[in-house]
Amino acid sequence: MQIRIDDLTGPEVAELLEEHLRDMYAASPPESVHALDLSKLRKPEITFWSVWDGENLLGCGALKELDSSHAEIKSMRSANRFRGTGVGKKMLEHILQVASERKYTRLSLETGTQDFFLPARTLYERYGFEYCGPFADYAEDPYSAFMTRVMS
């Protein structure tokens, strides 16, 4: 697996993000979907990576700087056909490494509370993320689970 910074111009990435948004809207009410589309991911405070195996796009992930000490994981996604193959684990480990290099003291995320999101929540728990209240611009939402990790 190769992880690289992505400029969000390739058709494979656009297709993966469309798949991601479709699944998010199928699993959650529209007002509870916080996934970003291509235009919202193209912000200077966001670094976006794609995960490849040769010509196959396996997944993606992003890191959004909230302030100089706090960042948010965004757009963590394994392509449906590569779920359960370690793509999410590899991407999360990469994001944690970058967050450490950037000297963030806290890393947070929002994911869903429904069963569809259980594998994601389990992965984050395994890597030391704990449940917390809303952060940044989020509000309490029964469909949102907020998690955070203090970086060491």
Side-chain angles (χ1 to χ4, degrees):
M1 281 186 244
Q2 179 191 28
I3 297 175
R4 59 184 184 232
I5 291 178
D6 199 294
D7 64 6
L8 296 156
T9 59
E12 300 92 346
V13 170
E15 185 178 311
L16 178 60
L17 290 171
E18 286 173 20
E19 174 185 276
H20 181 54
L21 287 169
R22 277 194 308 272
D23 281 352
M24 297 305 96
Y25 281 101
S28 303
E31 66 276 8
S32 298
V33 174
H34 302 289
L36 302 177
D37 63 17
L38 276 170
S39 66
K40 290 181 181 155
L41 285 166
R42 289 186 179 119
K43 303 284 184 193
E45 66 273 14
I46 296 176
T47 305
F48 182 88
W49 294 276
S50 52
V51 185
W52 297 84
D53 181 12
E55 299 295 313
N56 292 313
L57 176 59
L58 308 179
C60 62
L63 190 59
K64 177 181 180 181
E65 185 171 291
L66 300 174
D67 63 44
S68 63
S69 65
H70 188 193
E72 177 184 5
I73 296 174
K74 297 295 293 181
S75 302
M76 277 277 295
R77 176 69 181 198
S78 295
N80 284 338
R81 65 189 186 122
F82 295 109
R83 287 216 167 139
T85 63
V87 175
K89 177 180 179 282
K90 186 84 166 172
M91 185 75 254
L92 182 57
E93 289 172 353
H94 180 79
I95 289 173
L96 288 169
Q97 178 64 39
V98 171
S100 178
E101 290 168 4
R102 292 182 182 178
K103 310 256 189 277
Y104 294 129
T105 58
R106 187 160 72 122
L107 195 54
S108 300
L109 63 95
E110 181 276 339
T111 190
T113 57
Q114 305 87 316
D115 287 346
F116 177 84
F117 299 98
L118 181 59
R121 293 192 312 270
T122 301
L123 175 66
Y124 297 131
E125 287 171 359
R126 243 182 295 156
Y127 279 83
F129 285 84
E130 298 177 347
Y131 292 92
C132 64
F135 60 93
D137 295 331
Y138 292 104
E140 279 294 340
D141 182 337
Y143 295 98
S144 287
F146 303 101
M147 302 178 83
T148 196
R149 175 185 157 158
V150 173
M151 300 295 293
S152 50

